[in-house]
């Protein structure tokens, strides 16, 4: 009996994953079959460790050791290029995005105190779907703009191919670099980046004003500065939004290429979705931190497996909500689960009933037709609320 004729949840899931992967740029179709089994094992076990995948892989080997050796060879295979595998998948999903603004988040995460995962994700209705990922042997989360530009160029190539021009990039203050802002300006992308207090601001006439951190605000006060320049090289003009929450001394400082306002903080606050994505991968849904891989190339290919699984699940969750079937897998009256979790429960629900999964791969722009419900806080004054989920909302004093 061939793998394609096998029955059972694992085999049906494998066949559904393979249908999306086999059309990629493969040097050997057997590599597509191997990664399809790996994605299936990950989804069924929700673990990133090989022993937990073995019982879900029905690839023809009789010994578990043979199956594990096959997986390890795949992860170490230099002919496996994550870009050529994942690129066609994510571009196919984004073909349905439409004319809506595409919001990207740039961030890094340290793995095992030795490697740095650089990630650019598409922010989609509360979840960050990986777009491009790189793993470097680099023990710090701080990376240079020179290391980022090849990754950003790859993203730009994808988006230009899809003719997606309206793009906004969000990044934390670790990426506060005028060289990066200049590159984004050349690309025609918008940005919201948190900036450091040590940056020098100047008026349009190149007269020095002060450092960003020298602007002191009262609790709940916001201030917007327009058409100023940054650093001694007078990069600009840019626009800055400054705000101080009521519950702490730290100020929020966000630079934008577009005029700023109170809504700038909410726009920047969407960036926290990528941190939720890292949490899902490392210690939440997939347990990447349990992996014993300790070389950058193998880790990058394992991250590819996680990215494929995330994309498939979010797409499946989207279709479940659109079809009106969410309450078959989500017991809440209003949506309380992420599209990722809805997708996972949909897969489990469908497999237990012999139904098809992953029939379509899509991410669609536009407003969420079923936004998540939020817990009410009776003790919160709406005029002073600063954080709603991952959105930072500053309101002026009444």
């Amino acid at each position: 009996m061939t793998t394609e004729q096998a029955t059972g949840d694992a085999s049906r899931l494998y066949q559904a994953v393979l249908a999306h992967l086999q059309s990629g740029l493969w040097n050997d179709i057997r590599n597509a079959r191997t990664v399809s089994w790996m994605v299936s094992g990950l989804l069924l076990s929700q673990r990133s460790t090989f022993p937990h995948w073995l019982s879900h892989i029905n690839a023809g080997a009789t010994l578990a050791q043979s199956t594990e050796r096959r997986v390890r060879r795949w992860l170490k295979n230099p002919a496996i290029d994550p870009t050529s595998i994942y690129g066609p998948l994510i571009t196919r999903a984004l073909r349905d995005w439409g004319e809506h603004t595409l919001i990207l988040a740039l961030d890094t995460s340290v793995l095992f105190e030795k490697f740095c995962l650089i990630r650019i994700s598409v922010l989609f209705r509360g979840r960050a779907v990986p777009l491009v990922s790189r793993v470097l042997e680099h023990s710090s989360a701080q990376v240079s703009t020179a290391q980022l530009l090849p990754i950003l160029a790859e993203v730009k190539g994808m988006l230009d191919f899809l003719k997606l021009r309206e793009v906004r990039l969000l990044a934390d203050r670790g990426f506060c670099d005028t060289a990066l802002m200049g590159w984004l300006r050349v690309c025609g992308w918008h940005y919201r980046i948190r900036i450091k207090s040590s940056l020098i601001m100047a008026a349009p006439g190149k007269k020095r004003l002060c450092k960003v951190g020298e602007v002191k605000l009262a609790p709940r006060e916001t201030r917007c500065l327009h058409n100023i320049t940054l650093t001694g090289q007078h990069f600009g003009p840019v626009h800055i939004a400054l705000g101080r929450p009521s519950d702490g001394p730290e100020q929020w400082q966000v630079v934008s290429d577009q005029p700023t306002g109170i809504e700038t903080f909410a726009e920047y606050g969407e960036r926290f979705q990528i941190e939720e994505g890292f949490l899902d991968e490392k210690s939440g849904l997939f347990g990447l931190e349990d992996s014993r891989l300790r070389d950058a190339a193998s880790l990058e290919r394992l991250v590819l497996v996680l990215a494929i699984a995330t994309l498939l699940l979010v797409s499946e969750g989207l279709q479940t909500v659109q079809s009106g079937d969410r309450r078959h897998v989500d017991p809440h009256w209003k949506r309380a689960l992420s599209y990722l979790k809805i997708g996972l429960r949909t897969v489990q629900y469908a497999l237990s009933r012999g139904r098809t999964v992953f029939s379509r791969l899509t991410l669609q722009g536009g407003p969420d037709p079923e936004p998540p419900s939020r817990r009410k806080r009776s003790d919160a004054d709406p005029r002073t609320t600063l954080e709603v989920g991952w959105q930072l909302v500053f309101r002026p004093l009444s």
Side-chain angles (χ1 to χ4, degrees):
M1 181 175 62
T2 65
T3 299
E4 287 69 20
Q5 295 172 328
T7 59
D9 291 353
S11 295
R12 288 191 290 114
L13 185 58
Y14 156 79
Q15 291 163 21
V17 175
L18 180 62
H20 292 288
L21 287 174
Q22 62 187 354
S23 59
L25 303 175
W26 296 99
N27 64 322
D28 189 331
I29 192 61
R30 289 176 296 182
N31 289 325
R33 295 175 184 143
T34 299
V35 72
S36 297
W37 278 119
M38 293 165 67
V39 173
S40 301
L42 173 68
L43 291 175
L44 291 172
S45 68
Q46 297 178 44
R47 300 288 296 274
S48 296
T49 49
F50 308 147
H52 291 90
W53 297 355
L54 298 182
S55 61
H56 304 294
I57 296 179
N58 184 15
T62 57
L63 299 178
Q65 186 182 57
S66 300
T67 301
E68 183 169 344
R69 190 162 52 239
R70 177 179 177 178
V71 170
R72 290 188 181 278
R73 281 201 305 264
W74 190 94
L75 290 171
K76 291 181 177 293
N77 188 346
I80 304 296
D81 177 22
T83 298
S84 63
I85 299 170
Y86 189 71
L89 283 179
I90 189 65
T91 52
R92 193 188 318 154
L94 289 173
R95 285 183 302 185
D96 300 327
W97 192 262
E99 301 298 322
H100 307 282
T101 299
L102 186 72
I103 302 177
L104 305 178
L106 166 64
D107 207 352
T108 58
S109 181
V110 175
L111 302 174
F112 314 120
E113 300 181 350
K114 184 178 180 181
F115 303 98
C116 179
L117 169 60
I118 305 174
R119 166 74 54 77
I120 299 177
S121 294
V122 176
L123 300 188
F124 180 75
R125 301 179 184 178
R127 264 295 175 265
V129 179
L131 188 56
V132 175
S133 304
R134 288 288 180 277
V135 176
L136 307 177
E137 190 165 345
H138 184 72
S139 60
S140 170
Q142 194 83 19
V143 294
S144 67
T145 300
Q147 292 171 305
L148 293 174
L149 290 183
I151 302 171
L152 287 163
E154 185 177 322
V155 172
K156 187 177 187 303
M158 289 183 186
L159 302 188
D160 286 350
F161 173 77
L162 292 166
K163 298 181 180 179
L164 294 174
R165 312 295 186 193
E166 194 65 26
V167 180
R168 182 191 305 152
L169 180 79
L170 312 177
D172 203 5
R173 54 189 164 196
F175 304 97
C176 176
D177 185 0
T178 55
L180 174 60
M181 297 178 205
W183 189 90
L184 296 172
R185 174 186 291 173
V186 171
C187 291
W189 294 1
H190 304 300
Y191 56 83
R192 309 287 187 269
I193 301 175
R194 192 175 179 187
I195 57 176
K196 300 175 182 177
S197 299
S198 58
L199 282 185
I200 297 173
M201 299 187 297
K206 296 189 177 181
K207 180 180 179 182
R208 184 185 187 278
L209 292 176
C210 62
K211 293 182 179 180
V212 174
E214 293 175 359
V215 180
K216 301 301 181 182
L217 304 177
R220 296 190 292 127
E221 181 185 359
T222 62
R223 189 175 302 178
C224 295
L225 307 174
H226 297 137
N227 297 311
I228 64 171
T229 63
L230 295 175
T231 75
Q233 285 70 45
H234 299 284
F235 175 85
V238 295
H239 313 275
I240 293 180
L242 305 175
R244 180 182 169 188
S246 60
D247 57 353
E250 185 180 17
Q251 295 186 169
W252 289 85
Q253 302 153 171
V254 180
V255 63
S256 168
D257 66 309
Q258 297 173 301
T260 54
I262 294 176
E263 68 281 353
T264 301
F265 298 104
E267 293 168 350
Y268 169 78
E270 296 182 63
R271 188 197 70 81
F272 294 110
Q273 296 174 60
I274 194 171
E275 296 186 358
E276 293 289 333
F278 285 141
L279 182 62
D280 281 334
E281 289 186 349
K282 294 174 68 174
S283 59
L285 188 61
F286 295 134
L288 176 60
E289 290 186 332
D290 293 333
S291 167
R292 296 183 180 181
L293 295 178
R294 293 299 185 271
D295 71 275
S298 296
L299 271 172
E300 188 169 306
R301 295 185 187 100
L302 180 59
V303 167
L304 163 68
V305 175
L306 271 61
I308 294 171
T310 299
L311 175 59
L312 289 171
L313 290 180
V314 172
S315 174
E316 194 77 358
L318 168 65
Q319 294 169 76
T320 299
V321 171
Q322 287 183 331
S323 64
D325 294 330
R326 176 190 60 80
R327 294 191 63 199
H328 291 168
V329 297
D330 181 1
H332 302 90
W333 182 261
K334 292 186 177 181
R335 182 169 76 85
L337 299 175
S338 68
Y339 279 83
L340 181 74
K341 295 292 181 63
I342 292 173
L344 179 61
R345 293 193 182 189
T346 298
V347 169
Q348 296 167 340
Y349 180 88
L351 290 176
S352 68
R353 289 160 176 78
R355 300 179 184 177
T356 60
V357 295
F358 303 143
S359 58
R360 184 185 177 197
L361 189 61
T362 182
L363 295 177
Q364 300 171 15
D368 191 342
E370 198 170 338
S373 60
R374 301 194 183 278
R375 185 179 300 175
K376 294 182 180 180
R377 293 179 57 189
S378 58
D379 59 337
D381 182 348
R383 296 173 298 173
T384 60
T385 298
L386 300 183
E387 187 171 347
V388 181
W390 41 260
Q391 289 188 336
L392 296 172
V393 182
F394 287 80
R395 305 185 188 280
L397 287 165
S398 57

